[in-house]
Amino acid sequence: DQQVKQNSPSLSVQEGRISILNCDYTNSMFDYFLWYKKYPAEGPTFLISISSIKDKNEDGRFTVFLNKSAKHLSLHIVPSQPGDSAVYFCAARGAHGGATNKLIFGTGTLLAVQP
Amino acid sequence: SQTIHQWPATLVQPVGSPLSLECTVEGTSNPNLYWYRQAAGRGLQLLFYSVGIGQISSEVPQNLSASRPQDRQFILSSKKLLLSDSGFYLCAWGQTSRWYFGPGTRLTVT
């Protein structure tokens, strides 16, 4: 079962506008949510995270919003730049009994920022 | 700072051949280590994780195995590769609020 879902496989926005990437999850036991950016043939790069006890976290152009009642989070990028074009993965950390916390990923959204 | 090394960067192997991918971590001790795979057009799937030397947990039944012979070394292996083993393999170490990923290994099974 897909515990973390990114229902939009792709998104295209104009440079300077806002990019909004969405993610839904099913497991209410997740305690941290993370966003990663990935270029082809490279490892994912961490962007921003949010604890489940918060509803917003901001870092420069990146803001993550968490709506626990809806089990939904979103990443806002403002303003969008051509260099932001990449695949964005949403991930959730779950504590599965004991010391091991595993990171569960969504399927990714390909963001294309048009100049 | 933490650094993750993976090798080789790319690998082309015939079906039925063995596999060994290596991951080493610098700048941390007793890390939780993970192997992920990204198949073509798919997300990142967790394959194995390890909380310490000799401790391996498998997430999905498959043709692969993992070992952790040293604190900062994590190895992914197979005795006989299948076509379906093709993909991009990523090693990661994780802590409370972020995970760090290596550069990945592109495996093509022919």
Short mmCIF file of all heavy atoms in Angstrom, two decimals, chain B residues 37-88:
data_model
loop_
_atom_site.label_atom_id
_atom_site.label_comp_id
_atom_site.label_asym_id
_atom_site.label_seq_id
_atom_site.Cartn_x
_atom_site.Cartn_y
_atom_site.Cartn_z
N ARG B 37 15.91 1.89 -3.77
CA ARG B 37 16.00 1.71 -5.21
C ARG B 37 14.93 2.57 -5.88
O ARG B 37 13.79 2.63 -5.43
CB ARG B 37 15.79 0.25 -5.61
CG ARG B 37 15.78 0.03 -7.13
CD ARG B 37 15.72 -1.44 -7.48
NE ARG B 37 14.52 -2.08 -6.99
CZ ARG B 37 14.37 -3.41 -6.87
NH1 ARG B 37 15.36 -4.21 -7.19
NH2 ARG B 37 13.24 -3.91 -6.43
N GLN B 38 15.35 3.19 -6.96
CA GLN B 38 14.42 3.92 -7.81
C GLN B 38 14.39 3.22 -9.16
O GLN B 38 15.35 3.27 -9.92
CB GLN B 38 14.82 5.38 -7.99
CG GLN B 38 13.81 6.17 -8.80
CD GLN B 38 14.23 7.60 -9.02
OE1 GLN B 38 15.39 7.95 -8.92
NE2 GLN B 38 13.26 8.46 -9.32
N ALA B 39 13.28 2.53 -9.43
CA ALA B 39 13.11 1.92 -10.73
C ALA B 39 12.64 2.99 -11.71
O ALA B 39 12.16 4.05 -11.31
CB ALA B 39 12.11 0.78 -10.64
N ALA B 40 12.77 2.72 -13.00
CA ALA B 40 12.43 3.70 -14.03
C ALA B 40 11.00 4.20 -13.85
O ALA B 40 10.06 3.41 -13.78
CB ALA B 40 12.60 3.09 -15.41
N GLY B 41 10.84 5.53 -13.72
CA GLY B 41 9.52 6.12 -13.59
C GLY B 41 8.83 5.86 -12.26
O GLY B 41 7.62 6.09 -12.14
N ARG B 42 9.58 5.40 -11.30
CA ARG B 42 8.97 5.09 -10.00
C ARG B 42 9.59 5.94 -8.90
O ARG B 42 10.60 6.62 -9.10
CB ARG B 42 9.21 3.61 -9.69
CG ARG B 42 8.74 2.64 -10.75
CD ARG B 42 7.24 2.44 -10.72
NE ARG B 42 6.80 1.85 -9.47
CZ ARG B 42 6.79 0.53 -9.25
NH1 ARG B 42 7.23 -0.30 -10.17
NH2 ARG B 42 6.35 0.07 -8.10
N GLY B 43 8.98 5.85 -7.73
CA GLY B 43 9.51 6.55 -6.56
C GLY B 43 10.65 5.77 -5.93
O GLY B 43 11.18 4.82 -6.51
N LEU B 44 11.02 6.18 -4.74
CA LEU B 44 12.12 5.55 -4.02
C LEU B 44 11.56 4.46 -3.10
O LEU B 44 10.77 4.74 -2.20
CB LEU B 44 12.87 6.59 -3.20
CG LEU B 44 13.57 7.68 -4.02
CD1 LEU B 44 14.09 8.77 -3.12
CD2 LEU B 44 14.68 7.09 -4.85
N GLN B 45 12.00 3.25 -3.33
CA GLN B 45 11.52 2.12 -2.55
C GLN B 45 12.59 1.68 -1.55
O GLN B 45 13.74 1.42 -1.94
CB GLN B 45 11.16 0.96 -3.47
CG GLN B 45 10.62 -0.27 -2.74
CD GLN B 45 10.41 -1.44 -3.66
OE1 GLN B 45 11.15 -1.63 -4.63
NE2 GLN B 45 9.40 -2.25 -3.37
N LEU B 46 12.22 1.58 -0.29
CA LEU B 46 13.16 1.13 0.73
C LEU B 46 13.35 -0.38 0.60
O LEU B 46 12.39 -1.14 0.56
CB LEU B 46 12.62 1.47 2.12
CG LEU B 46 13.47 1.02 3.31
CD1 LEU B 46 14.84 1.68 3.27
CD2 LEU B 46 12.75 1.33 4.61
N LEU B 47 14.62 -0.79 0.51
CA LEU B 47 14.95 -2.21 0.36
C LEU B 47 15.41 -2.82 1.68
O LEU B 47 14.91 -3.86 2.10
CB LEU B 47 16.05 -2.38 -0.69
CG LEU B 47 15.78 -1.85 -2.09
CD1 LEU B 47 17.01 -2.02 -2.97
CD2 LEU B 47 14.57 -2.53 -2.70
N PHE B 48 16.41 -2.21 2.30
CA PHE B 48 16.99 -2.72 3.54
C PHE B 48 17.34 -1.55 4.45
O PHE B 48 17.60 -0.45 4.00
CB PHE B 48 18.28 -3.50 3.26
CG PHE B 48 18.12 -4.69 2.39
CD1 PHE B 48 18.36 -4.60 1.02
CD2 PHE B 48 17.76 -5.92 2.91
CE1 PHE B 48 18.22 -5.70 0.20
CE2 PHE B 48 17.61 -7.03 2.10
CZ PHE B 48 17.84 -6.92 0.73
N TYR B 49 17.37 -1.85 5.75
CA TYR B 49 17.92 -0.88 6.68
C TYR B 49 18.70 -1.62 7.75
O TYR B 49 18.49 -2.82 7.99
CB TYR B 49 16.85 0.02 7.29
CG TYR B 49 15.80 -0.67 8.13
CD1 TYR B 49 15.95 -0.81 9.51
CD2 TYR B 49 14.63 -1.13 7.55
CE1 TYR B 49 14.98 -1.42 10.27
CE2 TYR B 49 13.65 -1.75 8.31
CZ TYR B 49 13.83 -1.88 9.66
OH TYR B 49 12.86 -2.49 10.42
N SER B 50 19.61 -0.87 8.39
CA SER B 50 20.49 -1.46 9.40
C SER B 50 20.73 -0.46 10.51
O SER B 50 21.07 0.69 10.26
CB SER B 50 21.82 -1.86 8.75
OG SER B 50 22.76 -2.24 9.75
N VAL B 51 20.57 -0.92 11.75
CA VAL B 51 20.81 -0.05 12.91
C VAL B 51 22.17 -0.30 13.53
O VAL B 51 22.56 0.41 14.46
CB VAL B 51 19.70 -0.19 13.96
CG1 VAL B 51 18.36 0.20 13.37
CG2 VAL B 51 19.66 -1.62 14.50
N GLY B 52 22.91 -1.31 13.01
CA GLY B 52 24.22 -1.58 13.57
C GLY B 52 24.91 -2.71 12.83
O GLY B 52 24.32 -3.36 11.97
N ILE B 53 26.16 -2.96 13.19
CA ILE B 53 26.95 -4.01 12.55
C ILE B 53 26.20 -5.34 12.63
O ILE B 53 25.76 -5.75 13.71
CB ILE B 53 28.34 -4.13 13.20
CG1 ILE B 53 29.13 -2.84 12.98
CG2 ILE B 53 29.10 -5.32 12.63
CD1 ILE B 53 30.45 -2.81 13.73
N GLY B 54 26.08 -5.99 11.48
CA GLY B 54 25.46 -7.31 11.43
C GLY B 54 23.96 -7.32 11.56
O GLY B 54 23.34 -8.39 11.50
N GLN B 55 23.34 -6.14 11.72
CA GLN B 55 21.89 -6.07 11.90
C GLN B 55 21.24 -5.55 10.61
O GLN B 55 21.44 -4.39 10.25
CB GLN B 55 21.54 -5.14 13.06
CG GLN B 55 22.12 -5.60 14.39
CD GLN B 55 21.76 -4.64 15.51
OE1 GLN B 55 20.59 -4.50 15.84
NE2 GLN B 55 22.75 -3.98 16.08
N ILE B 56 20.49 -6.43 9.96
CA ILE B 56 19.88 -6.10 8.68
C ILE B 56 18.40 -6.43 8.75
O ILE B 56 18.02 -7.50 9.22
CB ILE B 56 20.51 -6.90 7.52
CG1 ILE B 56 22.02 -6.76 7.50
CG2 ILE B 56 19.88 -6.48 6.18
CD1 ILE B 56 22.51 -5.35 7.20
N SER B 57 17.59 -5.49 8.26
CA SER B 57 16.16 -5.75 8.12
C SER B 57 15.77 -5.54 6.67
O SER B 57 16.19 -4.57 6.04
CB SER B 57 15.35 -4.82 9.02
OG SER B 57 15.62 -5.08 10.37
N SER B 58 14.96 -6.44 6.16
CA SER B 58 14.52 -6.38 4.77
C SER B 58 13.09 -5.87 4.72
O SER B 58 12.25 -6.28 5.51
CB SER B 58 14.59 -7.77 4.13
OG SER B 58 14.04 -7.73 2.83
N GLU B 59 12.86 -4.96 3.79
CA GLU B 59 11.53 -4.38 3.66
C GLU B 59 10.65 -5.14 2.68
O GLU B 59 9.43 -5.19 2.86
CB GLU B 59 11.64 -2.91 3.20
CG GLU B 59 11.96 -1.97 4.32
CD GLU B 59 10.87 -1.92 5.35
OE1 GLU B 59 9.78 -1.42 5.06
OE2 GLU B 59 11.11 -2.40 6.49
N VAL B 60 11.23 -5.67 1.63
CA VAL B 60 10.45 -6.36 0.61
C VAL B 60 11.16 -7.65 0.21
O VAL B 60 12.37 -7.69 0.17
CB VAL B 60 10.22 -5.48 -0.63
CG1 VAL B 60 9.34 -4.29 -0.28
CG2 VAL B 60 11.53 -5.01 -1.22
N PRO B 61 10.39 -8.70 -0.06
CA PRO B 61 11.02 -9.94 -0.53
C PRO B 61 11.60 -9.73 -1.93
O PRO B 61 10.96 -9.11 -2.77
CB PRO B 61 9.86 -10.94 -0.57
CG PRO B 61 8.64 -10.11 -0.66
CD PRO B 61 8.94 -8.82 0.05
N GLN B 62 12.82 -10.18 -2.13
CA GLN B 62 13.44 -9.91 -3.41
C GLN B 62 14.67 -10.76 -3.60
O GLN B 62 15.02 -11.59 -2.75
CB GLN B 62 13.83 -8.43 -3.46
CG GLN B 62 14.77 -8.02 -2.34
CD GLN B 62 14.68 -6.53 -2.08
OE1 GLN B 62 14.63 -5.73 -3.00
NE2 GLN B 62 14.63 -6.15 -0.83
N ASN B 63 15.33 -10.49 -4.68
CA ASN B 63 16.50 -11.24 -5.10
C ASN B 63 17.79 -10.67 -4.52
O ASN B 63 18.86 -11.10 -4.88
CB ASN B 63 16.55 -11.18 -6.64
CG ASN B 63 17.65 -11.98 -7.21
OD1 ASN B 63 17.90 -13.10 -6.79
ND2 ASN B 63 18.36 -11.42 -8.18
N LEU B 64 17.68 -9.70 -3.63
CA LEU B 64 18.85 -9.00 -3.13
C LEU B 64 19.06 -9.29 -1.65
O LEU B 64 18.14 -9.71 -0.95
CB LEU B 64 18.66 -7.48 -3.32
CG LEU B 64 18.41 -7.02 -4.75
CD1 LEU B 64 17.96 -5.56 -4.76
CD2 LEU B 64 19.66 -7.20 -5.60
N SER B 65 20.26 -9.03 -1.18
CA SER B 65 20.58 -9.13 0.25
C SER B 65 21.48 -7.98 0.63
O SER B 65 22.05 -7.30 -0.24
CB SER B 65 21.25 -10.48 0.56
OG SER B 65 22.48 -10.59 -0.14
N ALA B 66 21.60 -7.74 1.91
CA ALA B 66 22.45 -6.65 2.39
C ALA B 66 23.28 -7.15 3.55
O ALA B 66 22.89 -8.08 4.26
CB ALA B 66 21.62 -5.44 2.79
N SER B 67 24.42 -6.51 3.74
CA SER B 67 25.27 -6.83 4.88
C SER B 67 25.92 -5.56 5.40
O SER B 67 26.07 -4.58 4.67
CB SER B 67 26.34 -7.85 4.48
OG SER B 67 27.19 -7.31 3.48
N ARG B 68 26.28 -5.60 6.68
CA ARG B 68 26.94 -4.45 7.31
C ARG B 68 28.13 -5.00 8.09
O ARG B 68 28.03 -5.25 9.30
CB ARG B 68 25.99 -3.69 8.21
CG ARG B 68 26.60 -2.40 8.74
CD ARG B 68 25.54 -1.51 9.30
NE ARG B 68 26.11 -0.33 9.94
CZ ARG B 68 25.38 0.61 10.52
NH1 ARG B 68 24.05 0.50 10.53
NH2 ARG B 68 25.96 1.65 11.07
N PRO B 69 29.24 -5.15 7.43
CA PRO B 69 30.41 -5.74 8.08
C PRO B 69 31.14 -4.78 9.02
O PRO B 69 31.83 -5.23 9.95
CB PRO B 69 31.30 -6.14 6.90
CG PRO B 69 30.89 -5.21 5.80
CD PRO B 69 29.43 -4.94 6.00
N GLN B 70 31.00 -3.49 8.79
CA GLN B 70 31.61 -2.47 9.63
C GLN B 70 30.59 -1.38 9.94
O GLN B 70 29.58 -1.26 9.26
CB GLN B 70 32.84 -1.87 8.95
CG GLN B 70 33.94 -2.85 8.60
CD GLN B 70 35.12 -2.19 7.93
OE1 GLN B 70 35.55 -1.12 8.36
NE2 GLN B 70 35.65 -2.82 6.89
N ASP B 71 30.90 -0.58 10.95
CA ASP B 71 29.94 0.43 11.40
C ASP B 71 29.49 1.37 10.29
O ASP B 71 28.31 1.73 10.21
CB ASP B 71 30.57 1.24 12.54
CG ASP B 71 29.62 2.28 13.09
OD1 ASP B 71 28.43 1.94 13.30
OD2 ASP B 71 30.03 3.44 13.30
N ARG B 72 30.42 1.75 9.42
CA ARG B 72 30.09 2.74 8.41
C ARG B 72 30.16 2.17 6.99
O ARG B 72 30.41 2.89 6.03
CB ARG B 72 31.02 3.95 8.54
CG ARG B 72 30.66 4.82 9.75
CD ARG B 72 31.67 5.90 10.01
NE ARG B 72 32.85 5.39 10.69
CZ ARG B 72 33.86 6.16 11.08
NH1 ARG B 72 33.85 7.44 10.84
NH2 ARG B 72 34.89 5.63 11.70
N GLN B 73 29.92 0.86 6.87
CA GLN B 73 29.94 0.21 5.57
C GLN B 73 28.67 -0.61 5.40
O GLN B 73 28.28 -1.39 6.29
CB GLN B 73 31.17 -0.70 5.46
CG GLN B 73 31.33 -1.36 4.10
CD GLN B 73 32.51 -2.31 4.06
OE1 GLN B 73 32.84 -2.93 5.09
NE2 GLN B 73 33.13 -2.45 2.91
N PHE B 74 28.04 -0.44 4.25
CA PHE B 74 26.78 -1.12 3.96
C PHE B 74 26.89 -1.67 2.55
O PHE B 74 27.22 -0.94 1.62
CB PHE B 74 25.62 -0.13 4.08
CG PHE B 74 24.29 -0.73 4.38
CD1 PHE B 74 24.15 -1.99 4.94
CD2 PHE B 74 23.12 -0.01 4.12
CE1 PHE B 74 22.91 -2.51 5.23
CE2 PHE B 74 21.87 -0.53 4.40
CZ PHE B 74 21.77 -1.78 4.96
N ILE B 75 26.62 -2.97 2.39
CA ILE B 75 26.82 -3.61 1.10
C ILE B 75 25.51 -4.23 0.62
O ILE B 75 24.79 -4.86 1.40
CB ILE B 75 27.92 -4.69 1.19
CG1 ILE B 75 29.26 -4.02 1.54
CG2 ILE B 75 28.04 -5.46 -0.12
CD1 ILE B 75 30.36 -5.00 1.83
N LEU B 76 25.22 -4.04 -0.65
CA LEU B 76 24.05 -4.64 -1.29
C LEU B 76 24.55 -5.70 -2.27
O LEU B 76 25.43 -5.43 -3.06
CB LEU B 76 23.25 -3.57 -2.02
CG LEU B 76 21.93 -4.02 -2.65
CD1 LEU B 76 20.91 -4.35 -1.58
CD2 LEU B 76 21.39 -2.94 -3.58
N SER B 77 23.96 -6.90 -2.19
CA SER B 77 24.47 -8.01 -2.99
C SER B 77 23.35 -8.80 -3.64
O SER B 77 22.18 -8.72 -3.22
CB SER B 77 25.29 -8.97 -2.12
OG SER B 77 26.32 -8.31 -1.44
N SER B 78 23.76 -9.56 -4.65
CA SER B 78 22.87 -10.55 -5.23
C SER B 78 23.73 -11.69 -5.77
O SER B 78 24.83 -11.45 -6.28
CB SER B 78 22.04 -9.95 -6.37
OG SER B 78 21.28 -10.96 -7.01
N LYS B 79 23.22 -12.90 -5.68
CA LYS B 79 23.96 -14.04 -6.23
C LYS B 79 23.70 -14.18 -7.72
O LYS B 79 24.57 -14.57 -8.49
CB LYS B 79 23.57 -15.31 -5.49
CG LYS B 79 24.01 -15.35 -4.05
CD LYS B 79 23.63 -16.68 -3.39
CE LYS B 79 24.10 -16.72 -1.95
NZ LYS B 79 23.70 -17.98 -1.27
N LYS B 80 22.45 -13.85 -8.13
CA LYS B 80 22.08 -13.97 -9.54
C LYS B 80 21.11 -12.85 -9.88
O LYS B 80 19.96 -12.86 -9.46
CB LYS B 80 21.43 -15.32 -9.83
CG LYS B 80 22.35 -16.51 -9.77
CD LYS B 80 21.63 -17.79 -10.20
CE LYS B 80 22.57 -18.98 -10.20
NZ LYS B 80 21.89 -20.23 -10.64
N LEU B 81 21.56 -11.93 -10.69
CA LEU B 81 20.74 -10.78 -11.04
C LEU B 81 19.59 -11.15 -11.98
O LEU B 81 19.73 -12.02 -12.86
CB LEU B 81 21.59 -9.70 -11.69
CG LEU B 81 22.46 -8.88 -10.74
CD1 LEU B 81 23.45 -8.04 -11.54
CD2 LEU B 81 21.60 -7.99 -9.86
N LEU B 82 18.48 -10.45 -11.80
CA LEU B 82 17.33 -10.54 -12.68
C LEU B 82 17.19 -9.23 -13.46
O LEU B 82 17.70 -8.19 -13.03
CB LEU B 82 16.05 -10.78 -11.87
CG LEU B 82 16.04 -11.97 -10.91
CD1 LEU B 82 14.78 -11.94 -10.05
CD2 LEU B 82 16.14 -13.28 -11.68
N LEU B 83 16.47 -9.30 -14.57
CA LEU B 83 16.23 -8.07 -15.33
C LEU B 83 15.55 -7.02 -14.46
O LEU B 83 15.83 -5.82 -14.57
CB LEU B 83 15.37 -8.37 -16.55
CG LEU B 83 16.04 -9.06 -17.73
CD1 LEU B 83 15.01 -9.41 -18.80
CD2 LEU B 83 17.16 -8.20 -18.32
N SER B 84 14.66 -7.47 -13.60
CA SER B 84 13.89 -6.55 -12.76
C SER B 84 14.74 -5.87 -11.67
O SER B 84 14.25 -4.98 -10.97
CB SER B 84 12.72 -7.29 -12.10
OG SER B 84 13.22 -8.37 -11.33
N ASP B 85 15.99 -6.28 -11.54
CA ASP B 85 16.88 -5.63 -10.56
C ASP B 85 17.45 -4.32 -11.10
O ASP B 85 18.10 -3.58 -10.37
CB ASP B 85 18.02 -6.57 -10.16
CG ASP B 85 17.54 -7.76 -9.37
OD1 ASP B 85 16.59 -7.59 -8.56
OD2 ASP B 85 18.08 -8.87 -9.56
N SER B 86 17.23 -4.04 -12.37
CA SER B 86 17.72 -2.78 -12.94
C SER B 86 17.10 -1.60 -12.20
O SER B 86 15.93 -1.63 -11.84
CB SER B 86 17.37 -2.70 -14.42
OG SER B 86 18.07 -3.67 -15.16
N GLY B 87 17.91 -0.58 -12.01
CA GLY B 87 17.40 0.62 -11.33
C GLY B 87 18.53 1.47 -10.81
O GLY B 87 19.71 1.21 -11.09
N PHE B 88 18.15 2.48 -10.07
CA PHE B 88 19.10 3.41 -9.48
C PHE B 88 19.11 3.15 -7.99
O PHE B 88 18.10 3.31 -7.31
CB PHE B 88 18.66 4.85 -9.80
CG PHE B 88 19.67 5.89 -9.49
CD1 PHE B 88 20.93 5.86 -10.06
CD2 PHE B 88 19.37 6.96 -8.64
CE1 PHE B 88 21.87 6.84 -9.79
CE2 PHE B 88 20.30 7.95 -8.37
CZ PHE B 88 21.56 7.89 -8.94
#
